């Protein structure tokens, strides 16, 4: 079975949304989604890291496979991701110190965002070619941003409503995420 | 029980109860929700994570005077990734069915924030023995959290527990429980239950006017 790049993109964006269907990248999803003006840049930064990580992982996988060093795959992927995050951090610090402060601890934590490592691991497991990997990482990143922005919009509205005491905080966010995920199940079948 | 033993016990219980990684700190959410469609998956994931956690914390604690401060996070990640690779190959050798069920989530243990969090916040500062005990407690707490989700989701979504049928042939499975939204709902439900319980306990302990205090922000 050979999927086209467009199919992979749509599938990663909607039907198999990284956050809401595959449970990748939940920590920033729960942590940074309180406000819209930090959620969107966070999504874009993560997408960029995903893109870099995916392309590097693709090249690296070719190299490691030709040398029969597959067992080093995981370690090399994580080192690449950490370097990419460092790069994003330096650029952001220089271009937009305000945003850099707003994202705070969650910026270096992109390294431990499973969505980023997930992209690299899944594309290896599914044996995507270069174009497919590109579409997969872009779709995954866009899907992550979409989920983050949707969640942030809902949570901003939520501040105006009267939530019962015990449901405040993480519990409410999780129930909301469940409802969003329920909605995204409606996309099942698209892109496959 | 003398003082030393009491402290050791406290160190162990911290991860299970007061700082439970799943329910209190909300760390390591991705594997928590992704693999808990059945109790056996949840248990295996918990054991695998605990193994990596204990080994990494031991090594980090042993090397705590050697690792330069500037590159400590990178070093921790490489240490963790090494043990995860070991676990990955071990599970593949032990049970291929289990390996297929857990999929990429075994390798994703690397980015489980519980492990890096423990290495950075605890193991890098204390002696190897304390680090291992604390890691074991955290791992047990994490496993309990996964099991709490896995059992509920398997019972409702499949009508079974550890693969044993509970309700007979007429049971109509509540399919949503084993689908992604079910994971969010069940964990949300557990958190609500704990919050409700904590509130009741506070109410019993305090006068009524002080009971309605601000919530703890996540």
């Amino acid at each position: 079975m050979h999927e086209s790049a467009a199919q992979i993109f749509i599938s990663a964006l909607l039907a198999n949304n990284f956050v809401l269907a595959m449970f990748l990248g939940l920590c920033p999803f729960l942590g940074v989604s309180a406000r819209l003006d930090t959620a969107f840049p966070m999504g874009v930064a993560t997408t960029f890291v995903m893109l870099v990580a995916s392309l590097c992982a693709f090249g690296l996988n070719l190299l490691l496979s030709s040398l029969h060093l597959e067992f080093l795959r995981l370690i090399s992927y994580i080192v690449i991701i950490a370097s990419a995050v460092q790069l994003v951090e330096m650029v952001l610090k220089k271009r937009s110190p305000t945003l850099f402060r707003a994202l705070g601890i969650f910026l270096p934590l992109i390294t431990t965002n499973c969505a980023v490592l997930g992209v690299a691991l899944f594309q290896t497991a599914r044996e995507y070619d270069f174009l497919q990997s590109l579409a997969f990482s872009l779709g995954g990143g866009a899907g992550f941003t979409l989920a983050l922005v949707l969640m942030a919009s809902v949570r901003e509205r939520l501040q105006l409503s009267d939530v019962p005491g015990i449901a405040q905080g993480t519990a409410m966010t999780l129930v909301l995420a469940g409802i969003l995920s329920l909605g995204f199940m409606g996309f099942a079948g698209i892109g496959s | 029980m003398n003082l030393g033993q009491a402290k050791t016990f406290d160190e162990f219980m911290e991860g299970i109860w007061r700082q439970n990684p799943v329910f209190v700190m909300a760390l390591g959410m991705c594997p928590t929700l992704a693999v808990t469609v059945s109790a056996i998956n949840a248990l295996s994931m918990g054991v695998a994570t605990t193994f990596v956690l204990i080994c990494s914390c031991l090594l980090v604690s042993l090397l705590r005077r050697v690792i330069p401060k500037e590159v400590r996070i990178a070093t921790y990640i490489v240490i963790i990734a090494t043990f995860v690779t070991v676990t990955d190959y071990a599970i593949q050798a032990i049970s291929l069915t289990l390996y297929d069920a857990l999929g990429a989530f075994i390798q994703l243990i690397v980015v489980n924030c519980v492990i890096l969090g423990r290495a950075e916040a605890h193991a890098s500062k204390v002696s190897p023995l304390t680090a291992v005990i604390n890691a074991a407690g955290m791992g047990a707490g994490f496993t309990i959290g996964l099991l709490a989700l896995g059992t509920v989701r398997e019972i409702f979504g499949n009508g079974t527990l550890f693969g044993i049928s509970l309700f007979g042939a007429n049971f109509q499975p509540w399919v949503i429980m084993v689908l992604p939204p079910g994971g969010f709902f069940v964990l949300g439900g557990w958190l609500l239950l704990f919050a409700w319980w904590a509130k009741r306990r506070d109410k019993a302990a305090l006068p009524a006017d002080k009971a309605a205090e601000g919530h703890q922000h996540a």
Side-chain angles (χ1 to χ4, degrees):
Chain A
M1 191 184 69
H2 191 83
E3 296 167 280
S4 77
Q7 276 176 338
I8 292 175
F9 178 81
I10 298 291
S11 153
L13 175 66
L14 297 174
N16 290 314
N17 187 287
F18 267 39
V19 180
L20 297 169
M22 283 161 75
F23 299 119
L24 294 171
L26 284 177
C27 294
F29 178 65
L30 299 176
V32 205
S33 64
R35 288 176 52 208
L36 204 52
D37 49 355
T38 50
F40 186 66
M42 183 67 188
V44 174
T46 310
T47 308
F48 177 75
V49 176
M50 271 163 123
L51 189 63
V52 175
S54 154
L55 296 185
C56 294
F58 183 77
L60 198 71
N61 189 34
L62 286 183
L63 181 71
L64 289 179
S65 302
S66 66
L67 294 174
H68 298 291
L69 289 173
E70 281 89 354
F71 58 90
L72 282 180
R73 206 183 268 148
L74 190 61
I75 299 181
S76 13
Y77 281 2
I78 198 84
V79 172
I80 283 189
I81 293 171
S83 329
V85 171
Q86 198 73 49
L87 192 75
V88 172
E89 213 179 324
M90 286 184 325
V91 170
L92 258 189
K93 201 173 182 177
K94 190 128 176 90
R95 305 302 297 241
S96 170
T98 341
L99 193 58
F100 180 74
R101 269 197 300 277
L103 291 178
I105 182 69
F106 284 99
L107 199 55
L109 277 183
I110 296 181
T111 312
T112 55
N113 184 336
C114 17
V116 179
L117 186 61
V119 164
L121 289 176
F122 277 113
Q123 80 180 25
T124 316
R126 295 177 188 173
E127 293 172 352
Y128 283 164
D129 63 23
F130 182 75
L131 206 61
Q132 285 174 319
S133 307
L134 193 71
F136 187 55
S137 61
L138 278 177
F144 179 75
T145 315
L146 179 67
L148 212 58
V149 166
L150 280 176
M151 192 66 191
S153 325
V154 176
R155 279 178 74 176
E156 279 195 349
R157 293 291 293 268
L158 198 69
Q159 286 178 346
L160 304 173
S161 50
D162 189 19
V163 180
I166 57 162
Q168 279 171 353
T170 319
M172 192 66 208
T173 316
L174 281 168
V175 173
L176 281 175
I179 296 171
L180 275 181
S181 166
L182 212 53
F184 268 72
M185 274 177 62
F187 291 118
I190 296 183
S192 60
Chain B
M1 208 191 301
N2 66 34
L3 198 68
Q5 273 176 325
K7 200 159 169 289
T8 311
F9 185 70
D10 264 6
E11 198 76 53
F12 183 73
M13 284 308 286
E14 183 177 277
I16 293 186
W17 190 247
R18 207 155 38 81
Q19 286 203 42
N20 187 298
V22 177
F23 296 124
V24 181
M25 307 212 291
L27 287 176
M29 287 286 110
C30 311
T32 309
L33 294 172
V35 303
T36 51
V37 289
S38 72
I40 188 75
N41 283 6
L43 187 63
S44 332
M45 189 66 188
V47 171
T49 310
T50 309
F51 170 75
V52 176
L53 188 60
I54 293 177
C55 294
S56 321
C57 281
L58 176 66
L59 203 57
V60 165
S61 174
L62 284 172
L63 294 174
R64 68 186 188 282
R65 295 187 215 287
V66 184
I67 300 171
K69 206 172 173 351
E70 294 77 24
V71 293
R72 64 182 197 288
I73 302 284
T75 319
Y76 299 160
I77 287 192
V78 172
I79 291 176
I80 296 168
T82 311
F83 284 115
V84 171
T85 310
V86 171
T87 316
D88 190 48
Y89 280 94
I91 293 181
Q92 208 169 351
I94 295 167
S95 162
L96 212 54
T97 348
L98 190 64
Y99 184 76
D100 289 336
L102 296 178
F105 279 94
I106 305 171
Q107 304 200 347
L108 283 173
I109 295 178
V110 179
V111 286
N112 190 326
C113 353
V114 178
I115 302 179
L116 193 65
R118 274 297 98 183
E120 159 77 1
H122 195 267
S124 59
K125 299 189 182 90
V126 297
S127 70
L129 186 67
T130 323
V132 166
I133 292 170
N134 187 279
M138 275 288 160
F142 188 67
T143 311
I144 291 172
L146 288 185
L147 267 179
L149 261 94
T151 42
V152 170
R153 287 180 74 185
E154 193 183 340
I155 289 173
F156 287 124
N158 220 355
T160 58
L161 185 59
F162 288 106
I164 302 157
S165 180
L166 291 180
F167 302 117
N170 288 329
F171 178 70
Q172 186 71 40
W174 193 3
V175 183
I176 198 77
M177 279 295 169
V178 288
L179 292 175
F184 288 115
F185 285 135
V186 174
L187 184 57
W190 274 112
L191 288 177
L192 281 179
L193 197 70
F194 282 128
W196 174 76
W197 185 71
K199 200 177 174 187
R200 262 183 55 136
R201 192 191 48 191
D202 287 353
K203 241 185 194 150
L206 289 170
D209 59 313
K210 282 182 84 178
E213 284 207 306
H215 71 283
Q216 194 192 356
H217 188 70

